[in-house]
Amino acid sequence: MIQEMTRARAAQIKDPVFREYAHMYLDIYDDFTAQAERMGLPFCKEQEAGSKELREELRKMGISSRCDGASLVYGWLSPACQACKRGIGMVTSYISFQCHRHCFFCFNPNQDNFLSHLDQKNDWRGELEQIKGQGGRLSYIALTGGEPLLYPEETAAFFKKAGALFPGAHRRLYTSGDLLTEGILERLKETGLEEIRFSYKIEDDHILKEKILHLMELAKRCIPSVMVEMPVMPDAQEEMESLLRRLDDMGISGINLLELGFPFYNAEAFLAKGYRLRYPPFKTLYDLSYAGGLPVAGSELVALKLLYYAAKEKLGIGVHYCSLENKNFGQRYQQNQVLGRGGDDTMFFSERDHYLKTIKAFGEDGAAAYRIFQQAGVCGYRYDRGTRSIQFHPDNAVLLKDHPIGLAISVNVMEERGGELFIRELKLQSAQAADCRREAL
C-alpha cells in the first residue's frame, strides 16, 4: 500500500540515510504550513469525518472520478472542463483586472502584475495573433477578468477575433452576470459564443440573486451552454441544495462547484465567518502558476454532499466538483509530459496525477536491490555509492517483490531553467515492491 510519509512512519525507518532524507521533506512541509498560518488563518487539523466514506458512496452511485479524485462529475460536463485535464490547445485571456465586485475570496490580487493590469488593458489581440502567427492551434478560448462586461464592446470583439483566428474553437465567457443585458447577449450570440459561466454569490442579497437567475434564463435563449461556477462555502449546504434544485428547474446546463480557497490576504473576512484552512492543504507541495491560494476546511465536504444530493434526487443538471488540486493538472501534464520526453530512463510519467515517479531504496536495502538488478542484467537504474541508494524505473520493482526491501516512491517535476531541463524532487511516499505498479502510480 502506497502511504504518505508522516513523522510516525519516518521514525520507523531503520536506515539513517533514508530516515534523514524523509525528515527533510517533512520539515519543508511543516515550514510551509507555519508560514501559511502567519498570514492570519489557522489550519483545521481535526480530520473531517465522513469524507472518505462519502467518496466511496458517490462511486457506487456512478459519480465519475477524474484527475486522481481531484475532480468529480455527475451528469453533463463542459467540454472545456474535460480538456482541462491536459490543458492542450487552451488559452484564457482577459481585458483588464478591473471589477465592480469585491469578493472576499477573489484570488486575482495574487496574479503577477495585478496592480498594473488594474490601470491598463491587456493586449489580448496581440496574444491571440502571436499564437496564430507561431502556428499554434487553439480548441478552447476563454475570456475572464476582472469583469469582462465592464467592456461589453471589447468583450464581443474578443470572441469575434477569436472565432476568426481559430474557427471551430470552443469559446466561453466568465462573468458575475449582473452587467448583462439583452442587447449584450444578442451581440455575444452573433460572435458565436458557446458557453457562459455565471458567478452566483451566496453572500449577495435576495434581489441581486433573483436578478442573476433571471439573466441566466435570458442567456439560455442565446447561448448554447449556460452554467454557474462558484466556490462552495462550508456553511451553505442547505442554500446550495436549493440552488441546485432551482437551476435544474430552469434547465441550466451545469454547475462547477469550486473548492473555496484562501487567497493569502483578507484573513479577517475568513476568520469572521469561522473558516480555517484544510490540513494538509495539498498532497504535494509545488509552486504552480494557478494563484488560487490554500483550500478552506469544509468546502470539499459540502461539495461532496451536493454531488450526493444531485445524484439522490436524480437532477438533470450537470454537477462538477473542481478542487484546487484539480486546477493544476493541466500545467503538470504539459510540464512533465511535454518537457519530460526523452528524459531520465529511471522515471515514469504517471497518467494518474501527472507527476514523474521513480523508486528509491537506501542503505542495505539499496545495496541489495543493486545486486539483484546486476544479477538480472536489467537497465533503468542508477546507484549512488555515496549514500548507498539506488533509483530505478517502477517496472523493475517486480524483481524485488520476494525480498523484504523497503522502498520510497519519489515524486518529481520537470523544470526548465536557462534553457536546460532539470528534474526536481518534491516528496517521498512509503511503499513495498508490490505497490510499485504503473496503474497504482
Side-chain angles (χ1 to χ4, degrees), residues 144-165:
T144 184
E147 172 52 70
L149 294 184
L150 286 169
Y151 315 93
E153 295 300 320
E154 202 163 349
T155 295
F158 173 88
F159 289 112
K160 186 175 180 180
K161 182 73 170 180
L165 291 175

Side-chain angles (χ1 to χ4, degrees), residues 5-15 18-19 22-23 26:
M5 192 65 69
T6 64
R7 294 284 178 189
R9 291 193 182 100
Q12 295 173 2
I13 296 173
K14 296 179 181 179
D15 181 77
F18 186 8
R19 187 167 58 248
H23 276 292
L26 293 169

Side-chain angles (χ1 to χ4, degrees), residues 13 105 155 215 230 259 363:
I13 296 173
F105 51 81
T155 295
L215 289 167
M230 61 185 294
E259 185 173 24

Side-chain angles (χ1 to χ4, degrees), residues 174-344:
Y174 294 83
T175 177
S176 64
D178 51 2
L179 300 181
L180 202 59
T181 65
E182 290 189 63
I184 293 174
L185 279 168
E186 287 297 328
R187 289 291 309 279
L188 293 174
K189 177 182 177 181
E190 292 168 3
T191 70
L193 181 67
E194 294 174 79
E195 181 177 300
I196 183 168
R197 299 188 181 186
F198 286 82
S199 179
Y200 184 92
K201 305 290 194 309
I202 286 291
E203 60 270 21
D204 283 347
D205 61 41
H206 176 73
I207 294 175
L208 185 50
K209 288 177 181 175
E210 288 300 315
K211 176 185 176 181
I212 300 298
L213 292 169
H214 173 66
L215 289 167
M216 288 182 205
E217 292 184 314
L218 291 180
K220 281 186 64 217
R221 304 174 190 175
C222 304
I223 311 300
S225 297
V226 176
M227 60 182 296
V228 170
E229 182 164 299
M230 61 185 294
V232 177
M233 304 300 162
D235 49 0
Q237 180 182 341
E238 186 175 341
E239 183 172 353
M240 289 292 293
E241 287 178 355
S242 298
L243 176 62
L244 288 183
R245 175 64 71 183
R246 179 79 175 272
L247 296 175
D248 187 49
D249 292 341
M250 291 166 55
I252 297 301
S253 302
I255 181 170
N256 276 358
L257 302 173
L258 306 180
E259 185 173 24
L260 177 63
F262 168 59
F264 303 115
Y265 74 98
N266 203 21
E268 296 79 7
F270 285 79
L271 288 169
K273 296 176 181 293
Y275 297 164
R276 292 184 290 171
L277 298 174
R278 177 161 62 85
Y279 187 86
F282 296 113
K283 295 178 182 177
T284 305
L285 284 183
Y286 185 60
D287 187 18
L288 288 146
S289 62
Y290 182 74
L294 297 175
V296 171
S299 179
E300 176 169 283
L301 184 59
V302 172
L304 299 181
K305 291 178 179 179
L306 293 172
L307 279 163
Y308 180 86
Y309 174 82
K312 181 171 176 284
E313 297 297 315
K314 296 181 171 57
L315 301 184
I317 186 174
V319 182
H320 174 213
Y321 169 54
C322 180
S323 66
L324 283 176
E325 187 84 42
N326 189 53
K327 298 292 187 181
N328 300 320
F329 260 71
Q331 180 184 338
R332 290 212 297 260
Y333 179 85
Q334 295 176 61
Q335 187 167 336
N336 295 326
Q337 175 66 14
V338 178
L339 292 180
R341 289 174 185 163
D344 192 326

